Amino acid sequence: MEQDKPDNTPSSDSIYQAPQSAVLIDHRAHEEQGPLPAAGRWRRLFNYLIDYVAQIGLVMAVFFVLSMLEAEGLMQSLLGVPDFLLGLASLLVYYLVLESLFGRTLGKLVTGTLVTDAQGQRVGPGKVLARTLCRLIPFEAFSIFTRGRICWHDQIPGTRVVELSVLRRWQAGEVIEDDSLDDALPESV
């Protein structure tokens, strides 16, 4: 058992002191090595294009399965749904399921990228839902041209899309210099 010190000050390993976490130590190390660089604009564009085609494929697959099951009534009901709601449903299902479970979509798998938080950790379903809903902001797609190449659907929930190879090197403690040209509009004076 631990003995009290004569001046009644708690020892450094007191049960009343907040425990030290290895995660905090890791965050401090990452702060010293700089931020985790976001994936480049071309990779993000390819992610978008591949994911867009995959979402269309998802909707087509649903209708194909319904036609094979001869569920004409359900198919007619779905055809009566406004396009916006059908698109929103496919957007939510596609991104929420894939990014929550795997941290990546088909587009991110092809381009070698994944979704993380600013510390390179996996994001949960809440942040994935926030990212997905932020995609509905008008003109959000053009936010890729802001400084740092971080879209609004990443800025708002605190996520980023990073290259897997860069993430592994960054997590190992390597200082990663972001050498890509930042061709965003200049900062206002």
Side-chain angles (χ1 to χ4, degrees):
M1 289 205 33
E2 180 181 319
Q3 294 181 350
D4 287 337
K5 296 190 185 246
D7 61 355
N8 290 330
T9 59
S11 67
S12 63
D13 57 349
S14 169
I15 61 171
Y16 298 105
Q17 186 177 10
Q20 296 298 317
S21 169
V23 174
L24 288 177
I25 294 168
D26 287 340
H27 291 294
R28 289 183 197 143
H30 292 315
E31 286 174 8
E32 292 172 6
Q33 77 187 87
L36 178 60
R41 288 188 181 101
W42 285 108
R43 284 183 193 256
R44 300 294 305 269
L45 176 64
F46 289 130
N47 287 349
Y48 172 77
L49 294 174
I50 294 167
D51 290 338
Y52 186 74
V53 170
Q55 287 175 59
I56 293 170
L58 174 68
V59 172
M60 290 174 63
V62 167
F63 279 101
F64 178 75
V65 168
L66 290 176
S67 69
M68 295 304 290
L69 297 174
E70 298 180 4
E72 289 295 321
L74 186 54
M75 265 181 44
Q76 291 304 319
S77 297
L78 282 176
L79 288 173
V81 172
D83 291 343
F84 173 76
L85 293 178
L86 192 59
L88 178 62
S90 72
L91 187 79
L92 286 171
V93 168
Y94 183 77
Y95 284 104
L96 194 57
V97 171
L98 293 177
E99 288 182 348
S100 293
L101 292 176
F102 307 110
R104 49 195 351 189
T105 58
L106 183 60
K108 290 173 188 69
L109 182 67
V110 170
T111 62
T113 58
L114 71 147
V115 178
T116 69
D117 63 11
Q119 291 78 34
Q121 301 297 313
R122 181 182 203 132
V123 295
K127 285 196 176 200
V128 172
L129 179 62
R131 295 183 86 239
T132 305
L133 293 176
C134 286
R135 293 173 192 275
L136 301 174
I137 298 172
F139 305 106
E140 188 277 334
F142 297 109
S143 67
I144 190 68
F145 297 108
T146 59
R147 293 209 172 270
R149 302 175 316 276
I150 301 175
C151 298
W152 294 340
H153 69 267
D154 286 318
Q155 288 178 15
I156 294 169
T159 61
R160 63 185 58 213
V161 175
V162 298
E163 294 176 38
L164 185 58
S165 60
V166 170
L167 175 64
R168 288 183 178 144
R169 291 177 20 228
W170 187 80
Q171 286 177 331
E174 184 179 332
V175 176
I176 308 291
E177 292 293 327
D178 192 358
D179 57 355
S180 61
L181 295 174
D182 195 353
D183 57 355
L185 296 174
E187 293 182 31
S188 60
V189 178

